[in-house]
Amino acid sequence: MDEADLDLTELPFGSNLTFMEDRKFDRGPQIQLREPAEGPEPLYVTRPFLPPLNEYTKILQGIWNRGILTNNGPLNYALEEKLEQFLGAPSVATISNGSLALEMVLEAAQLTGEVITTPYSFVATSHSILRAGLTPVFVDIEDNGFNLNPARVEEAITDRTSAILAVHCYGIPCDVDALANIARRHKLTLIYDAAHAFGVRLEGRSLFSFGDYSTLSFHATKVFHTFEGGAITVSDPAKRDRINSLRNFGITSETTIPYIGTNAKLSEPSAAMGLLQLDYIDFVLSERARVDRLYREGLADIKGIYVPPIPDGVISNHSYFPILVTSDFPLSRDGLYEHLKSERIFTRRYFYPLLSSLPMYESLPSADPKRLHNASRASEQILCLPIYPLLSDSELQRVVCAIRRSSSHP
């Protein structure tokens, strides 16, 4: 197959691609599509929403005409302004990805010593702390939830503690009032990893109105994406200047470089995608709500499958659909994971293994599994099912029926 015969715009998310080298003609990497395996169409845990291509290319034409591809171009500024309005955030700075957003916040806050955080998250959360030269201190999650337990946070504070880095896991809000109270009394910086929480509201307030800083990921797997990207929201706009400098090598003027920064600017093509995504965000959120509702209806009576409720007062973005596979189910969590995979339904064990069990953290006193009972249990039971706007009712029923069949597994 010649690359001219392959329309990359039609490839499904997760397609199996191989990159072949045509040495004879020295044309560089060539893309070939493997023959699909026999069986039903694979269902992946997520699939990015893409707006009509002609709408995106129209914006790209403007980028071509201006010749500005990055370095805080006009589309980047427009996106930041629109995000501030949509998210209800005092100030938004776009970043090239969510991991760098976390690292930038830890640098901007000028922290030292220890940062209290969760073992139940994606690895970027704890890695950002380590890469900043700080020590992560893991504390357990709630008894009946996935977020930091404020009581355990308070117990872990020492004279070396400088911040709390909490995660709104699956877009479910943390106990923001309790954490704010703890941070205020102990004079700690309060940071939220809000990678899952785009557009979530709590009691009518945006989640981005809480804490000193929040970070977002705009990776292709997220509710809102810019291909790759991220952002930082800042409670005090006066702190925004330092973020601006840090994302641009630490430069503050043509001849002044007071900080050790990096290159973390968002490109104009990514900003263009973000602006288009905002045009369709209501559709994306409503379709995710549809999928969430149908899953809850379909799984409600299956013994051993626990579907965490959406807390009262929360307007969810339905970024994930987590279930817990309890001991009442005939298969273990991993058994169900493998069974679904055999039916070409690809779920994810978000978050397993615990961050505290990884080799760079396991020797920390706070990584002792005896201290992390709730997180360990959740990590062994969790399974996230496919959820994305274009998941059809029939595809969703295929997932539900596969789980139902496995519930009668001998």
Side-chain angles (χ1 to χ4, degrees), residues 60-88:
L60 288 182
Q61 185 62 60
I63 295 175
W64 255 246
N65 293 343
R66 287 186 294 274
I68 300 174
L69 306 183
T70 185
N71 286 0
N72 302 317
L75 296 186
N76 183 75
Y77 283 122
L79 178 61
E80 289 178 337
E81 183 177 333
K82 287 184 177 292
L83 287 172
E84 288 172 357
Q85 296 168 0
F86 182 83
L87 296 174

PDB file of all heavy atoms in Angstrom, residues 60-88:
ATOM      1  N   LEU A  60      -6.572  26.962  10.014  1.00  0.00           N
ATOM      2  CA  LEU A  60      -5.171  26.782   9.641  1.00  0.00           C
ATOM      3  C   LEU A  60      -4.759  27.747   8.537  1.00  0.00           C
ATOM      4  O   LEU A  60      -3.615  28.220   8.509  1.00  0.00           O
ATOM      5  CB  LEU A  60      -4.921  25.343   9.189  1.00  0.00           C
ATOM      6  CG  LEU A  60      -4.936  24.253  10.256  1.00  0.00           C
ATOM      7  CD1 LEU A  60      -4.622  22.906   9.616  1.00  0.00           C
ATOM      8  CD2 LEU A  60      -3.949  24.550  11.368  1.00  0.00           C
ATOM      9  N   GLN A  61      -5.669  28.047   7.639  1.00  0.00           N
ATOM     10  CA  GLN A  61      -5.342  28.983   6.558  1.00  0.00           C
ATOM     11  C   GLN A  61      -4.928  30.337   7.121  1.00  0.00           C
ATOM     12  O   GLN A  61      -4.004  30.985   6.620  1.00  0.00           O
ATOM     13  CB  GLN A  61      -6.535  29.144   5.614  1.00  0.00           C
ATOM     14  CG  GLN A  61      -6.244  30.013   4.390  1.00  0.00           C
ATOM     15  CD  GLN A  61      -5.165  29.415   3.518  1.00  0.00           C
ATOM     16  OE1 GLN A  61      -5.308  28.300   3.019  1.00  0.00           O
ATOM     17  NE2 GLN A  61      -4.066  30.148   3.318  1.00  0.00           N
ATOM     18  N   GLY A  62      -5.612  30.751   8.201  1.00  0.00           N
ATOM     19  CA  GLY A  62      -5.240  32.009   8.843  1.00  0.00           C
ATOM     20  C   GLY A  62      -3.851  31.943   9.449  1.00  0.00           C
ATOM     21  O   GLY A  62      -3.087  32.922   9.402  1.00  0.00           O
ATOM     22  N   ILE A  63      -3.499  30.775  10.023  1.00  0.00           N
ATOM     23  CA  ILE A  63      -2.145  30.605  10.570  1.00  0.00           C
ATOM     24  C   ILE A  63      -1.122  30.722   9.453  1.00  0.00           C
ATOM     25  O   ILE A  63      -0.088  31.385   9.600  1.00  0.00           O
ATOM     26  CB  ILE A  63      -2.031  29.236  11.283  1.00  0.00           C
ATOM     27  CG1 ILE A  63      -2.946  29.197  12.504  1.00  0.00           C
ATOM     28  CG2 ILE A  63      -0.582  28.961  11.687  1.00  0.00           C
ATOM     29  CD1 ILE A  63      -2.981  27.849  13.204  1.00  0.00           C
ATOM     30  N   TRP A  64      -1.410  30.074   8.298  1.00  0.00           N
ATOM     31  CA  TRP A  64      -0.493  30.148   7.148  1.00  0.00           C
ATOM     32  C   TRP A  64      -0.344  31.597   6.687  1.00  0.00           C
ATOM     33  O   TRP A  64       0.758  32.049   6.381  1.00  0.00           O
ATOM     34  CB  TRP A  64      -1.040  29.299   6.006  1.00  0.00           C
ATOM     35  CG  TRP A  64      -0.313  28.008   5.808  1.00  0.00           C
ATOM     36  CD1 TRP A  64       0.441  27.646   4.734  1.00  0.00           C
ATOM     37  CD2 TRP A  64      -0.262  26.891   6.706  1.00  0.00           C
ATOM     38  NE1 TRP A  64       0.953  26.378   4.905  1.00  0.00           N
ATOM     39  CE2 TRP A  64       0.539  25.885   6.106  1.00  0.00           C
ATOM     40  CE3 TRP A  64      -0.812  26.630   7.961  1.00  0.00           C
ATOM     41  CZ2 TRP A  64       0.784  24.666   6.713  1.00  0.00           C
ATOM     42  CZ3 TRP A  64      -0.576  25.424   8.567  1.00  0.00           C
ATOM     43  CH2 TRP A  64       0.223  24.456   7.943  1.00  0.00           C
ATOM     44  N   ASN A  65      -1.447  32.331   6.650  1.00  0.00           N
ATOM     45  CA  ASN A  65      -1.394  33.717   6.161  1.00  0.00           C
ATOM     46  C   ASN A  65      -0.582  34.606   7.098  1.00  0.00           C
ATOM     47  O   ASN A  65       0.172  35.477   6.646  1.00  0.00           O
ATOM     48  CB  ASN A  65      -2.815  34.277   6.024  1.00  0.00           C
ATOM     49  CG  ASN A  65      -3.601  33.587   4.927  1.00  0.00           C
ATOM     50  OD1 ASN A  65      -3.044  32.914   4.052  1.00  0.00           O
ATOM     51  ND2 ASN A  65      -4.919  33.734   4.963  1.00  0.00           N
ATOM     52  N   ARG A  66      -0.733  34.382   8.401  1.00  0.00           N
ATOM     53  CA  ARG A  66      -0.006  35.214   9.378  1.00  0.00           C
ATOM     54  C   ARG A  66       1.445  34.785   9.517  1.00  0.00           C
ATOM     55  O   ARG A  66       2.309  35.598   9.845  1.00  0.00           O
ATOM     56  CB  ARG A  66      -0.698  35.138  10.751  1.00  0.00           C
ATOM     57  CG  ARG A  66      -2.006  35.897  10.841  1.00  0.00           C
ATOM     58  CD  ARG A  66      -2.549  35.896  12.261  1.00  0.00           C
ATOM     59  NE  ARG A  66      -2.929  34.552  12.710  1.00  0.00           N
ATOM     60  CZ  ARG A  66      -4.097  33.977  12.490  1.00  0.00           C
ATOM     61  NH1 ARG A  66      -5.031  34.628  11.805  1.00  0.00           N
ATOM     62  NH2 ARG A  66      -4.356  32.764  12.937  1.00  0.00           N
ATOM     63  N   GLY A  67       1.714  33.507   9.325  1.00  0.00           N
ATOM     64  CA  GLY A  67       3.067  32.997   9.493  1.00  0.00           C
ATOM     65  C   GLY A  67       3.513  32.927  10.940  1.00  0.00           C
ATOM     66  O   GLY A  67       4.713  32.849  11.222  1.00  0.00           O
ATOM     67  N   ILE A  68       2.565  32.939  11.874  1.00  0.00           N
ATOM     68  CA  ILE A  68       2.880  32.829  13.301  1.00  0.00           C
ATOM     69  C   ILE A  68       2.452  31.439  13.755  1.00  0.00           C
ATOM     70  O   ILE A  68       1.258  31.125  13.778  1.00  0.00           O
ATOM     71  CB  ILE A  68       2.146  33.909  14.127  1.00  0.00           C
ATOM     72  CG1 ILE A  68       2.559  35.310  13.650  1.00  0.00           C
ATOM     73  CG2 ILE A  68       2.450  33.738  15.617  1.00  0.00           C
ATOM     74  CD1 ILE A  68       1.772  36.424  14.307  1.00  0.00           C
ATOM     75  N   LEU A  69       3.416  30.597  14.114  1.00  0.00           N
ATOM     76  CA  LEU A  69       3.118  29.209  14.446  1.00  0.00           C
ATOM     77  C   LEU A  69       3.131  28.932  15.944  1.00  0.00           C
ATOM     78  O   LEU A  69       2.515  27.971  16.400  1.00  0.00           O
ATOM     79  CB  LEU A  69       4.136  28.282  13.764  1.00  0.00           C
ATOM     80  CG  LEU A  69       4.297  28.439  12.246  1.00  0.00           C
ATOM     81  CD1 LEU A  69       5.288  27.412  11.720  1.00  0.00           C
ATOM     82  CD2 LEU A  69       2.945  28.293  11.555  1.00  0.00           C
ATOM     83  N   THR A  70       3.841  29.765  16.709  1.00  0.00           N
ATOM     84  CA  THR A  70       3.963  29.534  18.147  1.00  0.00           C
ATOM     85  C   THR A  70       4.377  30.846  18.809  1.00  0.00           C
ATOM     86  O   THR A  70       4.115  31.922  18.276  1.00  0.00           O
ATOM     87  CB  THR A  70       4.980  28.393  18.428  1.00  0.00           C
ATOM     88  OG1 THR A  70       4.983  28.109  19.833  1.00  0.00           O
ATOM     89  CG2 THR A  70       6.365  28.717  17.935  1.00  0.00           C
ATOM     90  N   ASN A  71       5.029  30.763  19.981  1.00  0.00           N
ATOM     91  CA  ASN A  71       5.481  31.955  20.713  1.00  0.00           C
ATOM     92  C   ASN A  71       4.330  32.893  21.049  1.00  0.00           C
ATOM     93  O   ASN A  71       4.363  34.092  20.766  1.00  0.00           O
ATOM     94  CB  ASN A  71       6.563  32.704  19.936  1.00  0.00           C
ATOM     95  CG  ASN A  71       7.887  31.983  19.979  1.00  0.00           C
ATOM     96  OD1 ASN A  71       8.005  30.926  20.594  1.00  0.00           O
ATOM     97  ND2 ASN A  71       8.895  32.525  19.319  1.00  0.00           N
ATOM     98  N   ASN A  72       3.277  32.310  21.662  1.00  0.00           N
ATOM     99  CA  ASN A  72       2.157  33.104  22.167  1.00  0.00           C
ATOM    100  C   ASN A  72       1.496  33.931  21.059  1.00  0.00           C
ATOM    101  O   ASN A  72       1.368  35.158  21.160  1.00  0.00           O
ATOM    102  CB  ASN A  72       2.616  34.011  23.312  1.00  0.00           C
ATOM    103  CG  ASN A  72       3.226  33.223  24.443  1.00  0.00           C
ATOM    104  OD1 ASN A  72       2.706  32.186  24.831  1.00  0.00           O
ATOM    105  ND2 ASN A  72       4.350  33.698  24.969  1.00  0.00           N
ATOM    106  N   GLY A  73       1.066  33.220  20.035  1.00  0.00           N
ATOM    107  CA  GLY A  73       0.399  33.868  18.919  1.00  0.00           C
ATOM    108  C   GLY A  73      -1.024  34.283  19.249  1.00  0.00           C
ATOM    109  O   GLY A  73      -1.532  34.040  20.349  1.00  0.00           O
ATOM    110  N   PRO A  74      -1.726  34.918  18.298  1.00  0.00           N
ATOM    111  CA  PRO A  74      -3.072  35.447  18.553  1.00  0.00           C
ATOM    112  C   PRO A  74      -4.100  34.371  18.901  1.00  0.00           C
ATOM    113  O   PRO A  74      -5.007  34.621  19.703  1.00  0.00           O
ATOM    114  CB  PRO A  74      -3.426  36.158  17.246  1.00  0.00           C
ATOM    115  CG  PRO A  74      -2.501  35.581  16.212  1.00  0.00           C
ATOM    116  CD  PRO A  74      -1.246  35.245  16.945  1.00  0.00           C
ATOM    117  N   LEU A  75      -3.993  33.178  18.328  1.00  0.00           N
ATOM    118  CA  LEU A  75      -4.948  32.128  18.662  1.00  0.00           C
ATOM    119  C   LEU A  75      -4.741  31.636  20.093  1.00  0.00           C
ATOM    120  O   LEU A  75      -5.705  31.279  20.779  1.00  0.00           O
ATOM    121  CB  LEU A  75      -4.825  30.957  17.684  1.00  0.00           C
ATOM    122  CG  LEU A  75      -5.166  31.257  16.225  1.00  0.00           C
ATOM    123  CD1 LEU A  75      -5.134  29.975  15.396  1.00  0.00           C
ATOM    124  CD2 LEU A  75      -6.526  31.933  16.104  1.00  0.00           C
ATOM    125  N   ASN A  76      -3.489  31.608  20.530  1.00  0.00           N
ATOM    126  CA  ASN A  76      -3.212  31.211  21.906  1.00  0.00           C
ATOM    127  C   ASN A  76      -3.851  32.185  22.888  1.00  0.00           C
ATOM    128  O   ASN A  76      -4.492  31.780  23.858  1.00  0.00           O
ATOM    129  CB  ASN A  76      -1.701  31.150  22.134  1.00  0.00           C
ATOM    130  CG  ASN A  76      -1.349  30.682  23.528  1.00  0.00           C
ATOM    131  OD1 ASN A  76      -1.467  29.503  23.834  1.00  0.00           O
ATOM    132  ND2 ASN A  76      -0.933  31.598  24.383  1.00  0.00           N
ATOM    133  N   TYR A  77      -3.685  33.475  22.627  1.00  0.00           N
ATOM    134  CA  TYR A  77      -4.298  34.467  23.510  1.00  0.00           C
ATOM    135  C   TYR A  77      -5.815  34.364  23.485  1.00  0.00           C
ATOM    136  O   TYR A  77      -6.491  34.498  24.515  1.00  0.00           O
ATOM    137  CB  TYR A  77      -3.854  35.875  23.112  1.00  0.00           C
ATOM    138  CG  TYR A  77      -2.452  36.210  23.553  1.00  0.00           C
ATOM    139  CD1 TYR A  77      -1.480  36.585  22.626  1.00  0.00           C
ATOM    140  CD2 TYR A  77      -2.081  36.160  24.893  1.00  0.00           C
ATOM    141  CE1 TYR A  77      -0.180  36.886  23.018  1.00  0.00           C
ATOM    142  CE2 TYR A  77      -0.785  36.467  25.299  1.00  0.00           C
ATOM    143  CZ  TYR A  77       0.155  36.826  24.358  1.00  0.00           C
ATOM    144  OH  TYR A  77       1.436  37.122  24.761  1.00  0.00           O
ATOM    145  N   ALA A  78      -6.391  34.137  22.299  1.00  0.00           N
ATOM    146  CA  ALA A  78      -7.843  33.995  22.193  1.00  0.00           C
ATOM    147  C   ALA A  78      -8.334  32.785  22.981  1.00  0.00           C
ATOM    148  O   ALA A  78      -9.370  32.836  23.652  1.00  0.00           O
ATOM    149  CB  ALA A  78      -8.244  33.872  20.724  1.00  0.00           C
ATOM    150  N   LEU A  79      -7.577  31.684  22.904  1.00  0.00           N
ATOM    151  CA  LEU A  79      -7.963  30.480  23.635  1.00  0.00           C
ATOM    152  C   LEU A  79      -7.903  30.717  25.142  1.00  0.00           C
ATOM    153  O   LEU A  79      -8.811  30.311  25.878  1.00  0.00           O
ATOM    154  CB  LEU A  79      -7.057  29.318  23.241  1.00  0.00           C
ATOM    155  CG  LEU A  79      -7.321  27.995  23.972  1.00  0.00           C
ATOM    156  CD1 LEU A  79      -8.734  27.496  23.704  1.00  0.00           C
ATOM    157  CD2 LEU A  79      -6.297  26.936  23.558  1.00  0.00           C
ATOM    158  N   GLU A  80      -6.847  31.363  25.620  1.00  0.00           N
ATOM    159  CA  GLU A  80      -6.743  31.637  27.051  1.00  0.00           C
ATOM    160  C   GLU A  80      -7.934  32.457  27.542  1.00  0.00           C
ATOM    161  O   GLU A  80      -8.510  32.174  28.598  1.00  0.00           O
ATOM    162  CB  GLU A  80      -5.431  32.363  27.350  1.00  0.00           C
ATOM    163  CG  GLU A  80      -4.200  31.472  27.198  1.00  0.00           C
ATOM    164  CD  GLU A  80      -2.901  32.200  27.448  1.00  0.00           C
ATOM    165  OE1 GLU A  80      -2.864  33.454  27.322  1.00  0.00           O
ATOM    166  OE2 GLU A  80      -1.903  31.527  27.777  1.00  0.00           O
ATOM    167  N   GLU A  81      -8.310  33.463  26.760  1.00  0.00           N
ATOM    168  CA  GLU A  81      -9.439  34.318  27.154  1.00  0.00           C
ATOM    169  C   GLU A  81     -10.742  33.523  27.201  1.00  0.00           C
ATOM    170  O   GLU A  81     -11.528  33.638  28.152  1.00  0.00           O
ATOM    171  CB  GLU A  81      -9.564  35.484  26.168  1.00  0.00           C
ATOM    172  CG  GLU A  81     -10.670  36.468  26.524  1.00  0.00           C
ATOM    173  CD  GLU A  81     -10.718  37.649  25.572  1.00  0.00           C
ATOM    174  OE1 GLU A  81      -9.669  37.990  24.995  1.00  0.00           O
ATOM    175  OE2 GLU A  81     -11.817  38.223  25.403  1.00  0.00           O
ATOM    176  N   LYS A  82     -10.971  32.687  26.201  1.00  0.00           N
ATOM    177  CA  LYS A  82     -12.201  31.899  26.161  1.00  0.00           C
ATOM    178  C   LYS A  82     -12.221  30.846  27.263  1.00  0.00           C
ATOM    179  O   LYS A  82     -13.276  30.539  27.836  1.00  0.00           O
ATOM    180  CB  LYS A  82     -12.372  31.256  24.785  1.00  0.00           C
ATOM    181  CG  LYS A  82     -12.774  32.238  23.695  1.00  0.00           C
ATOM    182  CD  LYS A  82     -13.032  31.523  22.375  1.00  0.00           C
ATOM    183  CE  LYS A  82     -13.508  32.516  21.326  1.00  0.00           C
ATOM    184  NZ  LYS A  82     -14.865  33.047  21.651  1.00  0.00           N
ATOM    185  N   LEU A  83     -11.058  30.279  27.588  1.00  0.00           N
ATOM    186  CA  LEU A  83     -10.995  29.309  28.668  1.00  0.00           C
ATOM    187  C   LEU A  83     -11.281  29.962  30.016  1.00  0.00           C
ATOM    188  O   LEU A  83     -11.942  29.366  30.878  1.00  0.00           O
ATOM    189  CB  LEU A  83      -9.625  28.629  28.695  1.00  0.00           C
ATOM    190  CG  LEU A  83      -9.362  27.613  27.587  1.00  0.00           C
ATOM    191  CD1 LEU A  83      -7.902  27.151  27.613  1.00  0.00           C
ATOM    192  CD2 LEU A  83     -10.285  26.403  27.714  1.00  0.00           C
ATOM    193  N   GLU A  84     -10.788  31.172  30.227  1.00  0.00           N
ATOM    194  CA  GLU A  84     -11.093  31.878  31.467  1.00  0.00           C
ATOM    195  C   GLU A  84     -12.596  32.057  31.625  1.00  0.00           C
ATOM    196  O   GLU A  84     -13.146  31.866  32.722  1.00  0.00           O
ATOM    197  CB  GLU A  84     -10.391  33.238  31.476  1.00  0.00           C
ATOM    198  CG  GLU A  84      -8.890  33.150  31.674  1.00  0.00           C
ATOM    199  CD  GLU A  84      -8.170  34.467  31.493  1.00  0.00           C
ATOM    200  OE1 GLU A  84      -8.834  35.473  31.145  1.00  0.00           O
ATOM    201  OE2 GLU A  84      -6.936  34.493  31.682  1.00  0.00           O
ATOM    202  N   GLN A  85     -13.266  32.387  30.529  1.00  0.00           N
ATOM    203  CA  GLN A  85     -14.719  32.569  30.580  1.00  0.00           C
ATOM    204  C   GLN A  85     -15.431  31.244  30.824  1.00  0.00           C
ATOM    205  O   GLN A  85     -16.317  31.146  31.683  1.00  0.00           O
ATOM    206  CB  GLN A  85     -15.204  33.199  29.274  1.00  0.00           C
ATOM    207  CG  GLN A  85     -14.671  34.595  29.017  1.00  0.00           C
ATOM    208  CD  GLN A  85     -14.932  35.080  27.600  1.00  0.00           C
ATOM    209  OE1 GLN A  85     -15.522  34.368  26.784  1.00  0.00           O
ATOM    210  NE2 GLN A  85     -14.497  36.286  27.299  1.00  0.00           N
ATOM    211  N   PHE A  86     -15.045  30.207  30.090  1.00  0.00           N
ATOM    212  CA  PHE A  86     -15.745  28.929  30.197  1.00  0.00           C
ATOM    213  C   PHE A  86     -15.498  28.263  31.545  1.00  0.00           C
ATOM    214  O   PHE A  86     -16.421  27.702  32.149  1.00  0.00           O
ATOM    215  CB  PHE A  86     -15.318  27.985  29.070  1.00  0.00           C
ATOM    216  CG  PHE A  86     -16.045  26.666  29.093  1.00  0.00           C
ATOM    217  CD1 PHE A  86     -17.304  26.546  28.530  1.00  0.00           C
ATOM    218  CD2 PHE A  86     -15.476  25.555  29.702  1.00  0.00           C
ATOM    219  CE1 PHE A  86     -17.993  25.341  28.572  1.00  0.00           C
ATOM    220  CE2 PHE A  86     -16.151  24.343  29.748  1.00  0.00           C
ATOM    221  CZ  PHE A  86     -17.412  24.237  29.185  1.00  0.00           C
ATOM    222  N   LEU A  87     -14.265  28.302  32.015  1.00  0.00           N
ATOM    223  CA  LEU A  87     -13.907  27.615  33.248  1.00  0.00           C
ATOM    224  C   LEU A  87     -14.201  28.443  34.494  1.00  0.00           C
ATOM    225  O   LEU A  87     -14.142  27.920  35.609  1.00  0.00           O
ATOM    226  CB  LEU A  87     -12.414  27.252  33.238  1.00  0.00           C
ATOM    227  CG  LEU A  87     -11.971  26.259  32.167  1.00  0.00           C
ATOM    228  CD1 LEU A  87     -10.454  26.103  32.189  1.00  0.00           C
ATOM    229  CD2 LEU A  87     -12.645  24.906  32.363  1.00  0.00           C
ATOM    230  N   GLY A  88     -14.505  29.717  34.324  1.00  0.00           N
ATOM    231  CA  GLY A  88     -14.722  30.561  35.490  1.00  0.00           C
ATOM    232  C   GLY A  88     -13.470  30.703  36.325  1.00  0.00           C
ATOM    233  O   GLY A  88     -13.512  30.714  37.559  1.00  0.00           O
TER     234      GLY A  88
END
